[in-house]
């Protein structure tokens, strides 16, 4: 997938809108393919623990990732951000290894599934506690400011409607605003936090109404519409890059899966599924790219085939790799070798 | 074993509490129509629509709100989705709830349910044991039921108590542990009393929560080797029933304290140091501890099984103790 | 002070605006007198620990208290709320006993100074952790709703500009909004949190911009102006009382003291002191009441004299009372007698 | 005693760190021009305007931000205004910072300064000892300097360490404890090493933080009664230097562990249970513990003095131990 590999800021600046749209969409295709596979592996009992996927949100997630450069920008991906991870540049093997328990995964089996990252490449590994990653991204940005290398850098953090209720989210937004850091927070309002609908989560009209309270620009967009979403997120990212400080994007969509693959989401009302917010962003995007001639049917088929092959290979690779061995693991929890563990 | 699970007991206790006491309400994420992440409140919202309420993802506010309601005479039950997330409500628990009666003379009887402990594949943030972190703070009552009957009766008692109670339920026991009946026929032991769950004479193993069952299995194994191991289920880690533990050590002369917690401090340290301070002369050998390893709880089942105490590691620790 | 004693809702409904204004101002006079005395006692070494006072904020604080009824409404007072406590109906002896370490104080010497309350009368005792009391008030209100006795009740919580940065504040505001509770949050922006000025605390234009993000009505008022402040807070309180849900009032003033009496506040710029926000609300209020004939010079003098006498008596009373005795205190930390302490 | 106070040492260490290491910055409430609530950063903002930053009142974000900065190679020092307020940053400390290296292999070397412990009139929320709450969590280093020289050298070492360090400074020592010099001439002990601060042969008192000084005064008193009491200053509660403690017990045969913490669990339980597990045969008498009472820290000085261990109560506990 050569199109996903571009990662220098220079390349991005020169990139055309059409090319970025194609690149973003391609990440969506790859992510949907990968996540569907992970869901079936879960159902087949091949994955221990949970599987969390993001169907219906790929347009939003991929748009974040495609606006950022690996090894240059920062992205805190959350549980439904496979598309964003792919677009940002996370190797697919990181996902399959983490889910399938290969010792070669980025956390060597110590953690799994979506709790993975590569902090040294700009992809911190999420902890489960919602809202807690936003201040970590702010800190990464602050560090670069102090080191004098913040210029042109953006940090993005993904959060959900539910996470917006956490004190952690609030403190981080406010702190980033006080420091005027180039932080783009993309809040995917997928109408639910687990089973909890918006009306039990917040009482404002739209969560974008929070932006003014932090003194940061706010944007709201139909997250089922790739082209609109990419445009808005690109704008927020470039504002941040140019010194505009934190930005809050609220993108509306519907979670088209259960909370995790163990959940049938039967609590999601039929009416909501059939409303505009319930549209599948993949279908919308396909139509957008096909109808504008940005992609042909044949090319799309080819992309899907390539994605399936890549997924197949990444799964096969992870599956043939050894699981962690408690006798081989050094159980080190301290980086300083002079600190001996307690027992 | 019968068909009533540990989680059934928790659900039934809440049903009973809501039915019999108008002061009781349940507040937590997804506890309403969804019935909670582990289904501990399934069906209750239908029966008590005004007293089973979904909360936003705001653990700090959840506990603060519970304390406020308790000050007004209510008996809130707060469900944490996982014990691990109580770290975000930590301040309200240890500073608002725990100190309330001491400072104002007004009780704040809240019950916080904390789904705790490891299960395969749950990883560092959905597996933690936090009982000792909270037990440190004056003013809190810390319960760790290990049986179906205790899960039921201790939750009823938690809500009856005039003090803030943290009720640590173990996720591994939810559907694995079954009994014939909700109540085991006997009168439930009062809060703060440990129970000798297996009599023996060669050594005492003190455990709590899911580790009681591992300890019992280890005792079975050791029985086949000719050893009679006494197993004490603490049930409550604060208050801690030193008397029952010391009485057991008086019979056996040997002590192993087992916990699923991280190894620094915690319940096993408190047990061992109480026994040695108050029952030193009863000991025929140095008392021992067995806990999880000093790392976050690993995700992968291979690592997880080597992280927490198991039948095998407990049996090995007992054998070692018997030779000291 | 018979005017402070009215506490039934009925009485309040019938009260004229003029009468309420007088009552509120009188609480200000009493609080200023009491707090000045506490400050001198501190300087004379008669008080152990800190002394925290609210000069410059009495108009705001007293307005909250005077809109609420003791034993009926709820008020979470914070560190600069002597005026609000007085207006709400807290006995003055609670203050002097808490500060002077009398065992007869509401917490019997176990806690001191502003950490006092009477939860059973609607005055919960604050913990120090900022923001943490707002959800407690929300919970008291929720309890009354469940019990069916919320009708006509209001809960007010006082917070500062600094407290607005806490996650606790955010979670409580949002939760109260979701439950549509009759909570009035009065945020006194006194320009500083200890030494930290507004521009290091938040980046929005005014903290009232937070209201829309919670979906609650917001009000901003010049907190140095008693009549304006009382009008706005009264309105917010009656909106809440009538089912309008949470209300956020931001009142601007300047802290005219140090953070505590140990602090000389030399970091407060002269320019700010001389700006409109630096006006002393006491002087403004005096002028307002005198010039509109709501009070005469003679009456004011009489009020001040009465206040001084009341303070003198309350201090003398607390000073002659015994200090706590560690042998007499039962050290009980559990309400249930069946729970024995550990040691 | 000289003129350099414990708080001077903390300030000087930070000055030194900022001067010698560009990766260091200080973040906390009022640490800038104001110099911090206790003046530990006085004058530093003037010298290092871009690396001494005032934070909003957001302890959760403060720690999250520090971890992020540490991931980028910085060495942040976070000042909590009081240790008690770290309860609001608890989640980020125990789940974000402590687990980072284990999960990702990338270190998160943050130093959190926590002004701890009781002073007269400070009350329940400005007096707490929280070292054991954090020591429970794998991945954290927990330091408790008790001397001016240690306050200096251990803060320097904290920042040098590749792991998250919680540096518990005791407020009571801030201005009361003085020394002639910042460095005491000797090479500073490495992190994790306890120090025998007074040699003796009749009993060992293990203490840390401000209690070291109470223990020393008690030992002085006991000396006048003819007893030679050895006093060990733990310095670091995680890692905990069991070897030095056991070596001391080997000399004296008797152990009293003293802490200012609440009595359930904590450092004293860990010390006693380690010594009994590993050094049982060295003990001539049951090891004892002395902590504060199991209530919140009271405001009134009369209550406060009866709440925490003092010269008198330590001396009484030693006398009791000597008779066991
Ligand atoms: C502080 C905290 N409390 C509870 C949870 C449990 N939890 C995990 S995901 C989730 C719902 C998240 O909803 P949202 O933020 O809207 O994200 P979405 O799942 O919809 O993508 C909850 C409650 C958590 N992870 N963290
Ligand atoms: C969570 C928390 N962090 C820090 C403190 C220490 N502290 C006490 S008062 C204060 C400043 C409060 O400022 P503000 O909220 O504006 O109230 P004001 O003092 O101006 O009335 C601080 C930082 C605290 N009490 N709670
Ligand atoms: Mg959601
Ligand atoms: Mg302020």
């Amino acid at each position: 997938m050569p199109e996903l590999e571009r990662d220098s800021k220079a390349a991005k600046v020169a990139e055309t809108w059409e090319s970025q749209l194609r690149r973003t969409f391609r990440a969506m295709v790859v992510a949907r393919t990968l996540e569907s596979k992970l869901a079936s592996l879960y159902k087949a009992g091949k994955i221990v623990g949970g599987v969390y996927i993001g169907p219906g949100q790929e347009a939003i997630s991929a748009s974040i990732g495609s606006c950022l450069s690996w090894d240059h920008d920062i992205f805190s991906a959350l549980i439904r951000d496979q598309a964003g991870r792919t677009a940002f540049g996370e190797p697919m093997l990181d996902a399959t290894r983490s889910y399938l328990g290969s010792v070669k995964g980025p956390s060597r089996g110590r953690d799994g599934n979506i709790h993975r990252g590569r902090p040294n490449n700009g992809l911190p590994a999420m902890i489960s506690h919602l809202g807690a990653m936003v201040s970590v991204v702010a800190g990464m940005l602050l560090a670069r400011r102090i080191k004098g290398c913040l210029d042109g850098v953006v940090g993005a953090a993904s959060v959900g409607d539910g996470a917006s209720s956490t004190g952690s989210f609030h403190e981080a937004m406010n702190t980033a605003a006080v420091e005027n850091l180039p932080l783009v927070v993309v809040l995917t309002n997928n109408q639910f936090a687990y089973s909890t609908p918006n009306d039990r989560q917040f009482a404002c009209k739209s969560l974008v109404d929070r932006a003014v309270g932090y003194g940061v620009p706010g944007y709201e967009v139909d997250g089922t519409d790739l082209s609109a979403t990419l445009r808005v997120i690109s704008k927020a990212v470039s504002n941040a890059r140019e010194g505009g400080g934190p930005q809050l994007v609220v993108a509306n969509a519907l979670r088209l899966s259960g909370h995790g693959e163990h959940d049938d989401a039967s609590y999601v009302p039929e009416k909501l599924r059939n409303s505009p917010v319930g549209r599948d962003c993949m279908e919308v995007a396909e139509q957008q790219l096909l109808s504008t001639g940005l992609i042909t049917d044949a090319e799309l088929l080819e992309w899907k085939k390539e994605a399936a092959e890549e997924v197949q290979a990444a799964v096969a690779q992870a599956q043939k790799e050894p699981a962690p061995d408690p006798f081989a693991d050094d159980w080190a929890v301290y980086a300083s070798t002079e600190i001996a563990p307690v027992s | 074993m019968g068909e009533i699970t540990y989680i059934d007991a928790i659900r039934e206790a809440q049903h009973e509490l809501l039915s019999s006491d108008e002061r009781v309400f349940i507040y937590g994420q997804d506890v309403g129509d969804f019935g909670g992440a582990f289904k501990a409140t399934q069906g209750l919202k239908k029966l008590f629509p005004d007293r089973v309420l979904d909360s936003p993802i705001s653990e700090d506010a959840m506990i603060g709100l519970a304390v406020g309601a308790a000050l007004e005479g209510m008996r809130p039950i707060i469900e944490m989705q996982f014990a691990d997330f109580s770290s975000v409500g930590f301040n309200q628990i240890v500073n608002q709830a725990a100190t309330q009666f001491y400072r104002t003379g007004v009780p704040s009887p809240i019950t916080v349910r904390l789904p705790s402990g490891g299960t395969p594949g749950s990883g560092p943030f959905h597996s933690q044991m936090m009982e000792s972190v909270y037990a440190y703070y004056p003013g809190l009552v810390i319960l760790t039921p290990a049986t179906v009957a205790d899960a039921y009766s201790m939750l009823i008692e938690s809500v009856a108590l005039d003090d803030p109670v943290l009720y640590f339920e173990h996720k591994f026991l939810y559907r694995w542990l079954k009994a014939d009946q909700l109540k085991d026929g006997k009168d439930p032991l009062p809060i703060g009393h440990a129970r000798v769950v297996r009599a023996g004479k060669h050594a005492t193993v003190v455990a709590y929560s899911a580790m009681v069952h591992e300890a019992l299995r280890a005792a079975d194994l050791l029985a086949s080797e000719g050893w009679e191991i006494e197993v004490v289920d603490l049930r409550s880690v604060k208050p801690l029933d030193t008397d029952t533990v010391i009485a057991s050590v008086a019979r056996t002369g040997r002590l192993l304290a087992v916990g699923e917690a991280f190894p620094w401090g915690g319940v096993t340290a408190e047990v061992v140091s109480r026994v040695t301070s108050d029952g030193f002369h009863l000991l025929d050998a140095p008392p021992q501890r067995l806990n999880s390893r000093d790392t976050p709880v690993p995700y992968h089942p291979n690592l997880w099984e080597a992280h927490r105490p198991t039948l095998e590691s407990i049996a090995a620790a007992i054998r070692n103790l018997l030779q000291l």
Side-chain angles (χ1 to χ4, degrees), chain A, chain B:
Chain A
M1 266 198 339
E3 274 178 301
L4 289 180
E5 272 156 29
R6 52 171 80 240
D7 62 11
S8 83
K9 195 191 157 205
K12 191 139 300 161
V13 168
E15 191 182 23
T16 63
W17 163 253
E18 289 73 18
S19 155
Q20 192 186 356
L21 199 59
R22 276 169 55 91
R23 192 162 56 83
T24 310
F25 177 59
R26 190 159 188 178
M28 292 171 63
V29 170
V30 171
R32 175 72 59 102
T33 311
L34 172 56
E35 290 195 330
S36 310
K37 180 68 186 174
L38 292 170
S40 359
L41 286 166
Y42 175 80
K43 272 156 199 154
K46 306 275 189 214
I47 290 176
V48 191
V51 168
Y52 302 88
I53 62 177
Q57 308 181 195
E58 293 97 336
I60 306 164
S61 183
S63 294
I64 310 171
S66 86
C67 291
L68 304 173
S69 297
W70 184 255
D71 265 341
H72 172 81
D73 293 314
I74 295 159
F75 176 35
S76 162
L78 236 61
I79 64 176
R80 307 194 194 287
D81 278 317
Q82 184 53 55
R85 290 171 181 270
T86 301
F88 185 45
E90 185 193 58
M92 189 184 285
L93 273 173
D94 281 13
T96 56
R97 285 170 163 160
S98 295
Y99 267 111
L100 291 158
S102 156
V103 72
K104 297 197 169 170
S107 63
R108 297 179 283 158
R110 293 169 165 203
D111 209 338
N113 48 60
I114 66 280
H115 297 91
R116 65 183 191 267
R118 294 187 173 250
N120 288 338
N121 304 107
L123 186 70
M126 62 172 273
I127 68 168
S128 298
H129 300 70
L130 294 164
M133 298 309 295
V134 185
S135 58
V136 172
V137 177
M140 295 172 83
L141 295 168
L142 184 72
R144 299 207 189 171
R145 170 176 297 159
I146 297 175
K147 291 192 285 182
C149 60
L150 185 61
D151 243 29
V153 166
V154 163
S158 182
V159 294
D161 41 285
S164 75
S165 301
T166 63
S168 198
F169 166 80
H170 171 73
E171 294 192 0
M173 285 299 299
N174 183 58
T175 297
V178 167
E179 291 294 347
N180 199 39
L181 294 168
L183 172 73
V184 177
V185 174
V186 179
L187 192 163
T188 299
N189 181 354
N190 64 4
Q191 317 303 317
F192 288 88
Y194 210 153
S195 78
T196 305
N198 281 178
D199 65 351
R200 292 295 303 166
Q201 196 68 244
F202 56 85
C204 52
K205 285 210 192 65
S206 160
L207 286 169
V208 79
D209 296 342
R210 298 264 163 96
V212 61
Y214 298 117
V216 308
Y219 312 77
E220 185 163 13
V221 67
D222 175 356
T224 67
D225 178 335
L226 170 60
S227 137
T229 303
L230 181 59
R231 220 172 275 280
V232 167
I233 291 180
S234 293
K235 179 147 197 298
V237 168
S238 41
N239 282 354
R241 232 185 262 292
E242 285 152 19
Q247 316 277 318
L248 176 64
V249 179
V250 172
N252 300 303
L254 182 66
R255 196 189 67 207
L256 299 182
S257 58
H259 171 63
E261 286 310 287
H262 60 280
D263 170 28
D264 66 7
S266 52
Y267 47 81
V268 176
E270 206 47 37
K271 212 175 133 190
L272 200 60
R273 290 189 198 276
N274 298 327
S275 77
V277 82
R279 293 196 302 180
D280 184 346
C281 65
M282 287 297 296
E283 289 167 19
V284 175
E286 251 184 62
Q287 269 325 103
Q288 281 177 344
L289 273 83
L290 286 170
S291 68
T292 52
L294 276 179
I295 192 177
T296 63
D297 280 312
E299 207 174 359
L300 178 56
L301 254 159
E302 182 61 22
W303 282 11
K304 288 187 176 169
K305 200 176 130 254
E306 279 178 31
E309 284 163 7
E310 201 196 352
V311 167
Q312 205 49 55
V315 166
Q317 171 76 20
Q319 276 180 327
K320 77 173 178 231
E321 287 171 357
D325 174 352
F327 298 100
D329 192 294
D330 66 3
W331 295 92
V333 70
Y334 292 97
S336 338
T337 44
E338 60 267 43
I339 307 288
V342 168
S343 64
Chain B
M1 289 223 206
E3 280 310 304
I4 300 175
T5 63
Y6 183 92
I7 188 96
D8 289 338
I10 293 168
R11 189 200 159 281
E12 284 308 315
Q14 292 184 104
H15 187 177
E16 166 63 25
L17 286 160
L18 286 163
S19 305
S20 62
D21 189 342
E22 292 206 327
R23 302 170 306 168
V24 174
F25 72 99
I26 298 177
Y27 189 62
Q29 291 148 28
D30 307 296
V31 298
D33 290 328
F34 189 64
F38 297 102
K39 302 296 162 203
T41 57
Q42 186 139 48
L44 299 180
K45 173 86 181 170
K46 278 235 151 45
L47 298 172
F48 308 97
D50 302 332
R51 289 192 285 135
V52 181
L53 303 173
D54 283 321
S55 75
I57 305 179
S58 300
E59 284 80 4
D60 181 283
M62 286 160 65
I63 306 289
L65 187 133
V67 171
L71 290 177
E72 293 281 316
M74 301 296 288
R75 298 275 157 159
I77 300 174
I78 302 297
E79 176 177 300
M80 289 283 141
Q81 200 151 80
F82 285 80
D84 316 52
F85 300 134
S86 74
S87 56
V88 186
F90 181 71
N91 178 56
Q92 296 277 23
I93 296 174
V94 307
N95 286 315
Q96 188 81 261
T99 66
Q100 187 69 230
F101 178 75
Y102 180 76
R103 293 182 295 121
T104 68
V106 181
S108 62
I110 69 172
T111 295
V112 186
R113 289 184 34 238
L114 301 115
S116 312
T119 49
S122 291
F125 308 118
H126 292 77
S127 305
Q128 290 173 25
M129 300 292 291
M130 295 181 68
E131 63 290 337
S132 73
V133 172
Y134 290 108
Y136 174 66
Y137 285 91
L140 300 175
V141 174
I142 310 292
L143 306 182
T144 54
T147 68
V148 172
D150 275 353
Y152 181 81
S153 70
M154 288 167 78
L155 187 47
I156 303 269
E157 283 173 293
S158 298
V159 173
L161 219 57
D162 282 337
D163 290 291
V165 178
L166 306 196
Y167 174 97
F168 288 88
E169 46 197 61
H170 200 295
K171 299 191 295 292
F172 191 81
L173 303 181
Y174 274 169
R175 296 191 159 74
W176 174 82
L177 191 67
K178 291 178 184 160
D180 285 329
Q181 294 168 320
L182 266 187
K183 311 181 189 183
D184 56 11
K186 296 164 263 175
D187 271 346
L189 280 178
I191 294 267
H193 284 244
R195 179 189 286 128
V196 177
V197 286
R198 179 187 176 111
K201 62 184 182 202
H202 296 120
T204 297
V205 178
V206 172
Y208 60 100
S209 193
M211 282 298 131
V212 171
H213 303 283
E214 297 293 324
L216 285 170
R217 291 166 65 202
D220 279 344
L221 182 66
L222 273 276
S224 70
E225 299 170 20
W227 298 105
E228 293 175 35
I229 306 301
E230 183 146 314
V231 178
V232 177
D233 172 7
L234 286 178
R235 299 176 73 250
S236 157
V237 307
K238 189 171 190 177
L240 185 75
D241 183 356
T242 321
D243 291 350
T244 297
V245 173
I246 290 189
S248 172
V249 173
R251 287 187 288 275
T252 65
R254 284 179 152 75
L255 170 66
L256 172 68
V258 178
E260 190 183 322
F262 301 130
W264 196 104
V267 176
T268 59
E270 184 64 24
V271 167
V272 165
S273 56
R274 286 196 194 194
V275 170
T276 46
S277 293
D278 300 346
F280 188 67
H281 57 289
L282 305 171
L283 287 162
D284 298 328
Q288 301 295 312
R289 294 157 71 192
L290 184 64
N291 287 295
S292 287
R293 289 192 195 235
D294 198 31
T295 76
V297 184
Y299 158 78
H300 197 284
N302 288 2
L303 299 177
W304 178 67
E305 275 164 31
H307 185 267
R308 61 165 206 156
T310 54
L311 156 65
E312 293 78 19
S313 64
I314 297 172
I318 299 173
R319 285 191 205 101
N320 172 58
L321 173 67
L322 290 167
Q323 273 147 33
L324 288 175

